[in-house]
Amino acid sequence: MGRKVGKIKVFLSFLQDVHKDSRKGYFFLLRDFIRLKKEKGISIEEYSNFKFESQGKKFRDSFLSGVEQRPCLNLLNPKKYYILARNKYLSHLILGANNIRKAELYCYYHPEGRVKNDHIACDYDSVLAILKSKNIHSCVIKSTETSHGDGVIVVNDIEYTDKDCILHLFDGRKVCLKDRLKEYEPLIFESKIYQTKQFDSFNSSSVNTIRFMTTLYPTGDVKIIAIWMKFGRAGVCVDNAGAGGNVDAGVDIKTGRIFNVTLFDEWRETRSITHHPDSGTLLEGVFIENWKQITDEIIQFQKSIPYLKAIGWDIAITPEGPLVVEFNDYWDRTGQLFLGYGWKKEIQDCYKQWKKLEDVGKVSYKMGRL
């Protein structure tokens, strides 16, 4: 009973927020939500976050809801392969094995093990030994299991002293390596990423990334089904769109033209802009350089990871070409807001092709069922 009451309170809270923001009547909003709930399984949170009360037919028809997404990704990205994308150390290994461009892995720290070699460490001394042996003076430190840029530390300089190892962070803070390791969580130490002059001009404090959505078909063909961008803000080292506080935009698949640039402070707090609010650099209508080379390489990336058939790639654009920051098996739906349309048809088309094979016993994803 208490759980039901809690759900009702959450529902009414979202409904009231939409009413206040849109000034549309409760009866209209309730009727509209119920219809979308029946048609697409839309949650009240999705209705509110994506401003469905103001969206037109194109957005409504093409939007992929969480309820619609789950069965598709259960088949396309089976549970037995989740760890390939969700553990950053294993992601490094699989990307490296397929010669996919990525940051260089300096060290993998896992405090629960006792293995030590040229890149695996289990304590402070072994981490320090690896960093010193490779003459590392700058790096990026990440937890192997977090997402959305949580816990990322950009180290501009490493000071080796007789008693400790001091990490000089991008924001001017100093952290002792020993203190960072006291949290006893697995970490990776990898090289810093240097983006092209064009991308650096957008916002220099963060690596500004492109989210490519790709699908792999039984024929071996790959489609890029949607592309959007995440730009960081001044003084911030990550470009995460999930929690807000940054700039996002759609990208035309064929041409690489940036469109619908959006200042995303938080859900329902968005507005259209043309220039980056901090750097002043023009974003709207800008064409990303070397676009065909970039998209051709992304297609090859997906072909090299056949275990996951619908991947959300976070790609940095470096002078050497596109580089994988991370790849996602159970990606969020936020990009549909910035594109102004969804990817329901594309995901469901790919799902249907693989489902045909599963139905006749040519592929098996029994371990992938939730």
Side-chain angles (χ1 to χ4, degrees), residues 212-252:
F212 284 84
M213 309 290 295
T214 62
T215 50
L216 174 68
Y217 285 78
T219 59
D221 294 328
V222 170
K223 291 184 180 180
I224 297 175
I225 64 171
I227 308 172
W228 52 287
M229 278 202 68
K230 298 174 283 184
F231 306 87
R233 297 297 302 270
V236 179
C237 66
V238 296
D239 63 358
N240 169 48
N246 67 334
V247 180
D248 305 272
V251 180
D252 183 76

Side-chain angles (χ1 to χ4, degrees), residues 52-196:
F52 265 93
E53 81 282 356
S54 303
Q55 298 289 358
K57 179 176 173 56
K58 179 181 178 181
F59 184 89
R60 288 171 172 240
D61 289 347
S62 63
F63 181 81
L64 182 71
S65 71
V67 168
E68 294 168 324
Q69 174 178 281
R70 179 172 290 275
C72 292
L73 293 189
N74 282 351
L75 178 69
L76 297 174
N77 298 339
K79 187 176 181 180
K80 59 187 176 182
Y81 296 135
Y82 279 9
I83 196 169
L84 298 179
R86 299 187 183 189
N87 182 286
K88 291 182 175 61
Y89 174 59
L90 295 182
S91 295
H92 261 285
L93 297 184
I94 195 169
L95 292 173
N98 286 282
N99 296 314
I100 296 176
R101 192 176 294 110
K102 62 178 182 62
E104 181 182 352
L105 177 65
Y106 295 144
C107 177
Y108 169 51
Y109 164 70
H110 200 303
E112 296 173 15
R114 287 296 176 266
V115 176
K116 299 178 184 180
N117 59 31
D118 65 344
H119 75 278
I120 298 179
C122 62
D123 54 27
Y124 169 76
D125 290 334
S126 53
V127 170
L128 186 60
I130 290 173
L131 296 179
K132 282 186 172 181
S133 68
K134 296 181 179 180
N135 196 31
I136 305 303
H137 288 279
S138 65
C139 67
V140 176
I141 305 174
K142 301 176 180 177
S143 169
T144 60
E145 303 295 338
T146 56
S147 58
H148 302 301
D150 294 341
V152 173
I153 295 178
V154 177
V155 182
N156 285 344
D157 183 58
I158 301 177
E159 179 185 356
Y160 299 101
T161 68
D162 293 336
K163 295 183 179 180
D164 207 341
C165 177
I166 310 299
L167 308 177
H168 295 256
L169 309 188
F170 81 101
D171 58 3
R173 291 183 297 132
K174 297 180 182 180
V175 175
C176 293
L177 178 60
K178 285 181 180 178
D179 291 337
R180 182 64 186 89
L181 300 183
K182 282 180 180 178
E183 297 179 23
Y184 297 107
E185 63 174 336
L187 301 170
I188 58 170
F189 295 71
E190 62 183 28
S191 62
K192 293 174 67 176
I193 297 171
Y194 296 93
Q195 56 198 350
T196 62

Side-chain angles (χ1 to χ4, degrees), residues 325-337:
V325 177
E326 64 180 45
F327 60 101
N328 303 274
D329 66 300
Y330 210 88
W331 24 263
D332 61 35
R333 300 172 300 283
T334 312
Q336 297 174 109
L337 179 67

Side-chain angles (χ1 to χ4, degrees), residues 34-51:
I34 291 173
R35 180 167 65 86
L36 287 169
K37 177 74 173 177
K38 290 179 179 179
E39 292 176 356
K40 303 173 66 66
I42 293 287
S43 68
I44 187 61
E45 185 176 8
E46 286 175 321
Y47 188 87
S48 173
N49 287 350
F50 289 90
K51 294 186 175 182

Side-chain angles (χ1 to χ4, degrees), residues 284-299:
E284 186 73 32
V286 170
F287 289 85
I288 297 171
E289 298 168 356
N290 303 314
W291 188 243
K292 187 177 186 308
Q293 174 201 343
I294 292 169
T295 53
D296 286 349
E297 288 201 45
I298 300 304
I299 288 172

